[in-house]
Amino acid sequence: METTTPITCSDSYDHQNTQESCIRGHIIACSGGADHKDKGGERGLRKKVKRFFHSKASSNSSGVNSSSVAMASFETSYRGKLTSWPSVVIPAAPAAACGGSNKRALLCGVTYSHEHRYKLKGTANDVSNMKNLLTNIFGYPAECIRILSDDPFAQDLIPTKKNIENSLKWLVEGCKWGDSLVFYFSGHGLRQPDFQNDEIDGYDETICPVDFLKEGMILDNDINKTIVWPLKAGVRLHAIVDACHSGTILDLEHVYNRKQRTWINNLPPSGARKSTSGGLAISISACEDDKMAADTTVFTKKIMNGAMTYILTETVKENPQITYGDLLDTMANHIENINSERWIKSRIIRKVLRHKTIQEPMLSSSTKFAVYDTKFIL
């Protein structure tokens, strides 16, 4: 794999020589319409999905929703195109191999290399950057980091739906006071209608395993139950998700508004449980629920990276003592500078190219805390 020397976030950007793998969530159009380019064959696929969800919403009288059911309509169209992934199933056992360490991390990077139209080029680099941050800055032992990747150059386990679900259980199983846990995901993220009335905006957010066309997506509801509910007092979990529509991917109860410097209520209208068992869960996402993330070469000229992951890791490496609030502000400033340098400041042009604008990250938490007084520690 070709490499170049990374530049820091403060360096200048050569936007004329930049490639853009623009859309991480280009498979399903959002409720507000298509904010992105149509790549070959995707328009019909999006229409099919929208028709299916419309009929699903109309006919679902029981209030039950399943990502596997929601994706079932794909199987007929894509039968024969889906790769048969190795039947490697990871046991969801406690991480005894960590040797008593109180740090544990799960890193997932999905390239979707078997489906060219959905392929992402930066996710393997994202996982590498995140692993380096955890080991070099925050002292995570390498043996306590589980990596799931379908990158052809990696020798890691495949990020199928079953393997991701089992690994999420591995991450939190047996957690106790003093444990620090990290869940990182780089890949496609989507939305689908919420039939359980537990989403303020009416949509469930999802992440897409490598086999999501066949096995279905992983819903925010299920992620919340798997890795948020079990968190006991004294346990801290960070989820860092570089994917489209990932704003509330953990369904945490509080969302931070950086511009107003205040926490906003994200409690489910249905009153469903979204809380921990006394621990702390914090999520940093690449964008809001109705926005899209991007892979880009704007930072290293040749190597593709997830924009949020690269800026976050470089910012923390430059200032390991940074607070959550200063981290959000620094990332937002870098993103604003990049966007203003790359695109003509014309309202019409920016509207046409809005799908390529890098979005600000989003912070959510199970508990309100003073973001400008709290050091960012994974």
Side-chain angles (χ1 to χ4, degrees):
M1 182 178 295
E2 185 179 5
T3 60
T4 60
T5 302
I7 61 172
T8 62
C9 293
S10 60
D11 289 342
S12 60
Y13 306 103
D14 181 8
H15 58 274
Q16 294 180 343
N17 296 320
T18 298
Q19 303 174 27
E20 192 78 25
S21 173
C22 61
I23 319 301
R24 290 199 168 196
H26 57 260
I27 301 166
I28 296 179
C30 302
S31 58
D35 287 344
H36 48 80
K37 289 182 180 179
D38 179 66
K39 296 189 177 183
E42 291 178 22
R43 186 182 302 276
L45 180 58
R46 292 202 304 271
K47 289 181 178 179
K48 181 187 297 184
V49 173
K50 291 175 73 176
R51 285 198 301 270
F52 175 76
F53 282 149
H54 177 74
S55 63
K56 176 71 175 176
S58 301
S59 62
N60 191 325
S61 58
S62 64
V64 177
N65 181 32
S66 165
S67 66
S68 296
V69 173
M71 297 304 293
S73 63
F74 285 111
E75 292 197 32
T76 300
S77 298
Y78 283 86
R79 187 172 292 127
K81 295 183 179 181
L82 297 174
T83 300
S84 296
W85 293 102
S87 56
V88 177
V89 178
I90 305 173
C98 286
S101 172
N102 67 337
K103 298 177 183 292
R104 194 184 310 172
L106 170 62
L107 313 181
C108 300
V110 194
T111 66
Y112 312 93
S113 56
H114 65 296
E115 279 288 343
H116 180 71
R117 73 184 69 187
Y118 310 139
K119 185 176 181 179
L120 296 174
K121 298 180 180 179
T123 56
N125 298 325
D126 292 342
V127 167
S128 177
N129 289 336
M130 186 57 60
K131 180 181 179 182
N132 289 337
L133 182 72
L134 292 176
T135 56
N136 297 332
I137 301 298
F138 294 106
Y140 278 67
E143 63 271 19
C144 297
I145 300 176
R146 175 178 288 185
I147 296 177
L148 303 185
S149 173
D150 62 333
D151 178 66
F153 298 100
Q155 299 298 316
D156 304 303
L157 297 168
I158 302 298
T160 61
K161 182 177 182 180
K162 180 61 68 175
N163 282 346
I164 293 177
E165 289 174 337
N166 282 343
S167 293
L168 288 172
K169 295 175 183 176
W170 165 87
L171 181 65
V172 299
E173 188 149 358
C175 62
K176 60 188 184 301
W177 183 281
D179 283 355
S180 297
L181 313 175
V182 172
F183 168 54
Y184 175 79
F185 179 85
S186 178
H188 282 306
L190 301 176
R191 309 173 82 196
Q192 67 179 44
D194 162 39
F195 300 110
Q196 299 179 6
N197 194 34
D198 62 355
E199 297 283 349
I200 294 176
D201 62 358
Y203 284 87
D204 281 317
E205 286 66 50
T206 73
I207 58 174
C208 297
V210 68
D211 57 350
F212 78 101
L213 287 176
K214 182 178 180 181
E215 300 297 333
M217 301 173 284
I218 301 177
L219 272 65
D220 50 4
N221 301 333
D222 298 325
I223 297 174
N224 178 275
K225 291 177 182 177
T226 304
I227 63 174
V228 174
W229 284 21
L231 299 178
K232 302 174 183 177
V235 179
R236 182 178 63 232
L237 166 75
H238 283 85
I240 301 174
V241 182
D242 201 341
C244 294
H245 313 301
S246 55
T248 60
I249 191 62
L250 257 64
D251 271 354
L252 300 180
E253 298 166 301
H254 308 282
V255 173
Y256 190 73
N257 185 313
R258 186 187 66 85
K259 294 180 180 179
Q260 297 180 6
R261 295 199 173 192
T262 186
W263 288 99
I264 299 174
N265 169 47
N266 189 45
L267 292 171
S270 66
R273 177 187 172 182
K274 299 294 181 180
S275 61
T276 70
S277 295
L280 174 63
I282 297 174
S283 175
I284 299 179
S285 307
C287 58
E288 297 178 7
D289 287 337
D290 61 345
K291 298 296 192 297
M292 296 185 180
D295 272 352
T296 180
T297 61
V298 70
F299 308 108
T300 56
K301 304 302 185 287
K302 294 182 180 181
I303 297 178
M304 197 75 76
N305 291 278
M308 189 270 284
T309 300
Y310 190 90
I311 296 176
L312 184 148
T313 54
E314 290 298 307
T315 299
V316 175
K317 284 191 290 185
E318 290 176 4
N319 183 8
Q321 305 302 315
I322 199 166
T323 65
Y324 287 88
D326 290 335
L327 174 61
L328 292 176
D329 287 344
T330 302
M331 294 177 69
N333 289 337
H334 285 316
I335 290 170
E336 182 179 358
N337 291 337
I338 294 169
N339 288 335
S340 63
E341 288 181 14
R342 294 166 70 207
W343 306 119
I344 302 173
K345 294 183 179 180
S346 163
R347 292 178 60 187
I348 297 177
I349 298 299
R350 289 187 65 83
K351 184 175 181 179
V352 172
L353 297 176
R354 59 185 174 178
H355 62 278
K356 289 189 174 182
T357 300
I358 298 175
Q359 301 295 324
E360 283 191 25
M362 182 172 171
L363 174 70
S364 59
S365 176
S366 59
T367 304
K368 298 178 183 179
F369 64 93
V371 297
Y372 287 93
D373 296 325
T374 306
K375 179 181 175 181
F376 176 75
I377 302 178
L378 293 180

